[in-house]
Structure formats: C-alpha cells, structure tokens
Amino acid sequence: MLSLDSVTVSRTTGTAPAPLTDPAVPTGGSKVQVTGSQGNWQLTVDGKPYQVKGLTWGPSNDTAGARMRDLKSMGVNTLRTWGTDGGSKPLLDTAAAYGLKVVNGFWLNQGADYVGDTAYKENTLADIRKWVTTYKDHPGVLMWDVGNEVLLTTQDHYSGAQIEQQRIAYAKYVEQVVQAIHAVDPNHPVTSTDAWTGSWVYYKQYTPSLDLYAVNSYGQVCGVRQDWAAGGYTKPYIVTETGEAGEWEVPNDANGVPTEPSDIAKRDAYVSAWDCIKGHTGVALGATIFHYGNENDFGGVWFNIVPSGWKRLAYYSVVKDYGGTAPSNTPPVISSMTVGGATAVAAGSTFTVSASASDPDGDAIRYQLMYSTKYVDGGTGLQQVTFTQTGDGRFSVTAPKRLGVWKVYVYAYDGHGNVGIETRSFRVVAATPSGTNVALSKPTTASSYQATGNGAPFPPSNTTDGKWDTRWASDWSDPQWVQVDLGKTTAVRHVQLGWEAAYAKSYDLQVSDDGNTWRTVYSTSTGSGGVDDVDVTASGRYIRVYMTQRGTAYGYSLYEFGVYA
C-alpha cells in the first residue's frame, strides 16, 4: 500500500526518491486480556502491559496509509471506530502494519425499541457475529465496543416509564451481544460506551459479561474517577471520547449560544483530561481522545485536532500526552478576539473583527475568515467571508443578509502546516430605515397563509406588526402575494422585506390606487433572502410583494414588510 504523502521531489537533484511503502501487515491475531484484581487492573496484549493511548478515527478507512506515520509519531497506539463492516479492513491492515490497534465499534440504533423490536435485535446480533468472525484473528483488533450513547439518548426518544423499560431492555440486549461475541472470539475483551457514568448502573446490574466499561466524557472527565468509586463498581474502564468541553457543557454568550472554548483552553483541556485519566491507576486503562478528524466545519473546528489536515494546538497536546515526537514548528496562538457590535450587526453592513495572534516561531501569519449558520438554520458547513484586512489581525467584514446568530471564525496560518482558530458569535439584525413605516398595523392580506402546523397560524398581518419574531407563511406554490392597504395614496421611497428561510428568488414590488390595477416599481430574479432594502420612487394606496419563484422547496415567508414614506 503506497502512502499518499510518501512521494516528494528532491530539492537538490530534482529527482523523486524511492517511494516509502507501508510495512507489511503482520499475521496472526493478538490475545488481549483485562487482568488483575479490584483496583489493580491492567490491559495486556500477548501478556505485555498495554495502556490505551488513542484517538477516535474520522477519515475514510481507505486513506489510513496517508495518516498512519503521523499517528505513530504522535505516540498513538490505538484508534477507535463506531462501526465495523466490510470497509474496516484497510484501517485494520494499516494500523496493524504500524503497530497500532483498533477499538472496533458496533453501532446500535439510538431510539430503537429494545423492548419490542425483536427483528432489529436479531438481525443486528447476526451482523455483529458475522464481523467478529471475520476479524477476530486480525492483528489490528484490540477490543470490541458495543453501542454508543444509547442509554443516555433514550430520554430523547421515550418518556415516562418507557425510559426505564427501554434502558433495562437495552442493557440486557448488550449482555446478549457480549455473550455472543465472547463465544465467537474469546481472545479480545468487550466493552460498551455511553455518554454518562450513570449508564454503568445498568451495566452493573444487567450486563455482567462486559470485560470493562467505557464512557464518553468531555468537560466532566476529571469527575469520572469519583463516579466510579461512588458507584461501587468492580470493573475497570476506558474513556472512549474526551477533550475540551462540548456545546452542552459551556455557558451561553451574550447572543444566547454556547461559548466555544478558545484554542488555548482546548490545548489545556487535552492535557488535563489525560492527566485525570492516567491518574486513576489500576482502574482507568486509557483513552481514545476525540478527534482525529479532518472535517473543517462547525463540529470540526470545535473538536478536530487536524481540520483539513492543519495541525492545531490540541494536536501538540496529544503528542505531549502520549510521549510522541512533535514537529518543531508549532501553531500561531490567538490570545484574544473581538467582534464589533456583536449583539446587533445590521444585515449587509460592515463590521469589525479583531484577533490578537502571535507565532512562537516568528513565522509570518496569513489569515482567513469563515462564517457558520449553525445557530441560524442548523447547518454545519462553513462559508467564506468577504473581508478586508485593515491591520495586523484586524478586519473589516461584510455581514450576511440573513437574520439570526452567526459565528465568525478567524484562521491564522503559519505556512508550516499549522493553524490557530478562534471564533465568536454575532447577531444579524435588520437595519432601521429612516422615516416612518406607514405599513405598520395597516390592513394586510395575502393570496394564502398557513393556518395549521407547527407554530401556526402564520397570517399576513404578522408582516406589519413591527415584530421580528412573528411571520407570514404562504402555501407551497407559485405565485403568491402579500399586500398592505395604506389607507390613502402615499408616496413611497423605501421598502424593507425581512425574509424567513423560505424566501423569494423572483418577485415584484407593485403599487395600486384601487387594489385591482398594479404598477411594478421594482423587480428581481436574483433574490437571496435575508433582509432586502429597496429604494423606490412610487405612490399608491396599496402596495404588494408579488412572488413568482421560490428560493426553497417550501412556500414564502416574511417576518416584516416595511414601507417607508
């Protein structure tokens, strides 16, 4: 297998050196055991002590050859996955070739009916048996991990007494799975992961065949040791996900969204988390830290140590944790970040973003800015930002047109494969036009409106009530219109349309003296939603928005229809 990063060109001769190839995959599986007694356990591989120094694995398994040298140099000896199937072999092969092992996960559906869905349980168990049989003798296997966060998330799918019934049924099902795995493969231990130590209560009572417990714990990981002692547990554990505090653990900022930890805080969290885990000697057998992923999106910036392949401060923390060999050049450090007027940035306006960044190696810093709509529409991707750099770490930025709380990210690159990333939220609001809104509280009608459904009704009068938390929504068809009776012939100079996510790509602004004959005073076929501020020169008693092409698969929806005279 040829590593994708293995071919370089000699700067002195101009010739390509001999390509580096991956080591051969060893033959024969390992015997992995949990040995010892209460409070004095250890994991052994072929009789030798083994502390799990791991990362959760995010890239495609087919790219493992391009990344294994990096992981090995970091001191990583274990990777964790969430699923095991026919596509697992490339990862297992490459990991084994480099002396790493894999915690092979088996996904169990969150929200499944573990009380009554016998077919799902039987089919899943058969599938697990199949893949354990396939890989049980593979040298890359460390252990099997059954399920992920099912017990905690039961409360998201069931209510009342059903929650407890489902949790008990799930723990009993995991016991059935564990016994089946042991019958097929007696040489590798089995664990089961959940998102809080309260799950261990169920495992203790209903899943006695587990060889060890597992938990995902982020900001609270240093409390796992106390929870284990308080629960009177008689089995060791590993931490299968940890790192900096997550969205669910941090306070909200001034815009009411979770405050993402700084790059510096994340760096320190990876070190303190590992210190707490390895400090529980004889009980905590190691960890697979979250996350060796290359996604450069909302979650990737929050948790990934190598988004788009760029090394962050947290990457170097993991190297420190595991005693690896760190590259000599380290990332830029962003010590502060501010957003001008962050609680009220007018749609489409310019605002300032500042970040204080320094590079420990004296490298020149190149900047990039990105936006996230996570708290606007749930989107996880990032968008490039239109900005002008006005100084060292200072930027003039064009705000989005769409209303809501956005995040802006500052990327500081050093030219040596490293990046520092900092982020803050800002709230996009509609600018207040000068003059009087003559449409306010005036009679408003529409071609249709949604009278039923979640949050309904959405009558047309919502567009002229002066409130940005109410809206009109039409049927899902073209064309549609919404109109205002201004009460008398009125000179109009400006119109402001505040679109919800369901916007018009093509629409006309029209005026009328009698409500029957209309004159078009503005037209567009390139609408993009958000807030449209349109200057017009017109007069009439009636004014309407006549919409002919939707920008989404839904109908049309407006928060406000402001008319300024």
Side-chain angles (χ1 to χ4, degrees), residues 316-328:
Y316 293 85
S317 292
V318 174
V319 175
K320 179 180 178 181
D321 290 341
Y322 295 160
T325 303
S328 59

Side-chain angles (χ1 to χ4, degrees), residues 73-420:
S73 71
M74 294 175 70
V76 172
N77 65 8
T78 307
L79 299 172
R80 181 211 173 194
T81 69
W82 291 265
T84 303
D85 55 25
S88 299
K89 190 174 186 299
L91 177 61
L92 286 166
D93 284 351
T94 313
Y98 281 88
L100 279 71
K101 292 191 176 294
V102 179
V103 176
N104 295 273
F106 287 112
W107 187 261
L108 297 180
N109 287 347
Q110 297 172 355
D113 180 5
Y114 290 97
V115 172
D117 194 343
T118 302
Y120 168 74
K121 292 189 289 185
E122 290 179 349
N123 292 338
T124 302
L125 181 57
D127 201 50
I128 291 172
R129 282 196 183 102
K130 171 185 175 180
W131 296 117
V132 171
T133 302
T134 300
Y135 295 121
K136 65 185 178 68
D137 296 320
H138 196 289
V141 174
L142 180 69
M143 68 178 70
W144 309 103
D145 187 6
V146 180
N148 184 73
E149 302 189 356
V150 175
L151 284 165
L152 179 64
T153 58
T154 300
Q155 64 194 17
D156 301 330
H157 303 278
Y158 293 93
S159 60
Q162 289 181 319
I163 296 176
E164 188 69 6
Q165 293 166 2
Q166 287 291 334
R167 284 177 171 166
I168 292 171
Y170 172 76
K172 290 180 176 179
Y173 177 62
V174 173
E175 171 67 11
Q176 184 182 357
V177 173
V178 175
Q179 290 185 19
I181 293 175
H182 281 156
V184 175
D185 177 15
N187 292 322
H188 297 95
V190 187
T191 189
S192 183
T193 288
D194 220 275
W196 102 118
T197 53
S199 65
W200 294 349
V201 174
Y202 297 89
Y203 291 150
K204 181 180 180 181
Q205 183 170 357
Y206 301 107
T207 323
S209 296
L210 284 171
D211 298 289
L212 70 165
Y213 299 145
V215 68
N216 298 337
S217 185
Y218 291 82
Q220 304 301 316
V221 68
C222 289
V224 171
R225 177 175 185 168
Q226 180 179 350
D227 291 348
W228 182 89
Y233 299 109
T234 57
K235 294 186 178 181
Y237 66 88
I238 58 171
V239 177
T240 38
E241 292 177 28
T242 191
E244 69 274 6
E247 279 187 275
W248 58 95
E249 297 176 302
V250 297
N252 286 344
D253 64 14
N255 288 314
V257 301
T259 304
E260 185 165 342
S262 69
D263 247 15
I264 294 172
K266 292 176 182 179
R267 175 198 67 192
D268 296 343
Y270 279 84
V271 174
S272 63
W274 178 245
D275 285 346
C276 288
I277 293 164
K278 71 178 182 179
H280 199 182
T281 55
V283 180
L285 305 184
T288 51
I289 290 173
F290 195 86
H291 179 50
Y292 194 82
N294 58 3
E295 300 89 351
N296 186 26
D297 56 12
F298 176 87
V301 172
W302 198 302
F303 291 109
N304 286 351
I305 64 173
V306 284
S308 294
W310 298 96
K311 296 178 175 66
R312 301 178 67 182
L313 290 174
Y315 171 97
Y316 293 85
S317 292
V318 174
V319 175
K320 179 180 178 181
D321 290 341
Y322 295 160
T325 303
S328 59
N329 195 287
T330 57
V333 178
I334 302 177
S335 57
S336 65
M337 177 180 172
T338 58
V339 174
T343 57
V345 175
S349 68
T350 58
F351 65 104
T352 59
V353 174
S354 299
S356 180
S358 61
D359 189 86
D361 308 291
D363 298 321
I365 297 175
R366 175 179 65 85
Y367 293 96
Q368 178 61 274
L369 273 66
M370 304 289 281
Y371 280 152
S372 167
T373 63
K374 171 66 184 299
Y375 301 118
V376 176
D377 58 12
T380 58
L382 301 185
Q383 308 169 8
Q384 287 197 354
V385 173
T386 301
F387 71 93
T388 300
Q389 188 166 342
T390 58
D392 186 12
R394 296 190 298 276
F395 314 94
S396 176
V397 184
T398 301
K401 289 176 57 183
R402 191 170 175 185
L403 304 179
V405 177
W406 293 65
K407 292 189 76 176
V408 60
Y409 298 78
V410 174
Y411 289 69
Y413 301 98
D414 68 355
H416 295 277
N418 298 303
V419 67

Side-chain angles (χ1 to χ4, degrees), residues 496-564:
Q496 184 179 73
L497 303 175
W499 299 100
E500 194 253 356
Y503 67 94
K505 183 176 181 181
S506 296
Y507 67 89
D508 298 332
L509 292 177
Q510 299 176 329
V511 295
S512 173
D513 297 321
D514 58 8
N516 294 309
T517 303
W518 296 91
R519 303 182 296 278
T520 298
V521 297
Y522 173 80
S523 182
T524 184
S525 60
T526 59
S528 57
V531 178
D532 286 339
D533 279 288
V534 182
D535 290 327
V536 297
T537 301
S539 64
R541 173 173 171 172
Y542 301 89
I543 184 167
R544 74 176 182 178
V545 189
Y546 188 77
M547 294 153 278
T548 56
Q549 184 181 359
R550 288 167 285 156
T552 70
Y554 304 100
Y556 300 95
S557 186
L558 280 168
Y559 289 112
E560 283 296 297
F561 180 7
V563 180
Y564 294 84

Side-chain angles (χ1 to χ4, degrees), residues 28-61:
S30 300
K31 184 176 182 62
V32 184
Q33 294 176 291
V34 176
T35 63
S37 57
Q38 180 71 17
N40 190 32
W41 291 286
Q42 67 176 7
L43 196 66
T44 64
V45 175
D46 295 328
K48 297 178 181 179
Y50 187 99
Q51 183 182 39
V52 177
K53 297 181 177 181
L55 283 168
T56 54
W57 171 255
S60 167
N61 289 345

